[in-house]
Amino acid sequence: MKTGQIFMIVDDDDDDIDFFCQAIRKIDPTYTCMSATDGEAALQKLQNETNALPDFIFLDLNMPRMDGKTCLRELKKQEKLKDIPVIIYTTSSHPQEREETLQLGAAHFLTKAYSIKMLQEGIRNVLEILGATNENSNISNI
């Protein structure tokens, strides 16, 4: 796996953000975790020229102000953001939501785990599927 990658977690639950960032650091201490509490805040951070862009965005669906689907649509409209792989990271496991978000441009759909070990395994699997080295910029929907 590529070292020094930046992960963004967009979730309105502070505990879920902390849990995700812990898992990222346990996978590789060189990984950086940035966060936003809703889609609107995420877009503001990503549009700020002083912030480094993440290698991956993990996006919750159910959030106030701007939900995950709306945020995903906006990410895919913007030239500098549209190629960042977006992984839907939610408690939902509905096939319809999975299909809809993949059609909107999500790279993968990951159901939230309830143990750090399961979350680490899920993130590792996603990175493997997506090619964590970022050598393949033409990521297909899995």
Side-chain angles (χ1 to χ4, degrees):
M1 284 190 259
K2 184 178 171 185
T3 61
Q5 294 190 96
I6 301 171
F7 293 77
M8 179 178 227
I9 175 73
V10 184
D11 198 310
D12 62 324
D13 186 316
D14 289 337
D15 290 336
D16 284 350
I17 290 172
D18 289 342
F19 191 63
F20 181 87
C21 291
Q22 281 179 24
I24 289 295
R25 285 189 295 274
K26 285 185 178 218
I27 291 170
D28 188 325
T30 69
Y31 288 170
T32 302
C33 190
M34 58 191 291
S35 65
T37 54
D38 62 57
E40 197 172 295
L43 290 170
Q44 287 173 356
K45 276 189 178 184
L46 293 167
Q47 292 165 345
N48 183 337
E49 296 297 326
T50 61
N51 291 332
L53 291 177
D55 296 289
F56 301 95
I57 299 171
F58 284 74
L59 181 62
D60 188 20
L61 290 178
N62 301 311
M63 298 178 289
R65 292 196 332 156
M66 181 185 288
D67 68 15
K69 288 178 190 174
T70 304
C71 182
L72 177 59
R73 284 185 195 98
E74 291 302 313
L75 288 167
K76 295 304 173 184
K77 286 181 191 175
Q78 297 186 28
E79 190 62 36
K80 81 174 199 172
L81 304 176
K82 70 179 184 178
D83 293 327
I84 299 172
V86 177
I87 297 88
I88 301 302
Y89 179 63
T90 184
T91 54
S92 172
S93 58
H94 295 341
Q96 181 181 349
E97 284 199 315
R98 182 183 193 283
E99 186 60 35
E100 183 180 353
T101 56
L102 292 176
Q103 287 178 358
L104 290 172
H108 197 71
F109 192 97
L110 180 64
T111 302
K112 287 183 179 179
Y114 294 99
S115 79
I116 196 126
K117 190 171 186 158
M118 286 176 59
L119 177 54
Q120 286 174 278
E121 187 176 307
I123 293 169
R124 280 192 185 104
N125 288 340
V126 167
L127 295 179
E128 187 177 308
I129 289 167
L130 297 181
T133 60
N134 284 344
E135 290 170 3
N136 181 4
S137 61
N138 221 356
I139 297 172
S140 62
N141 290 340
I142 314 270

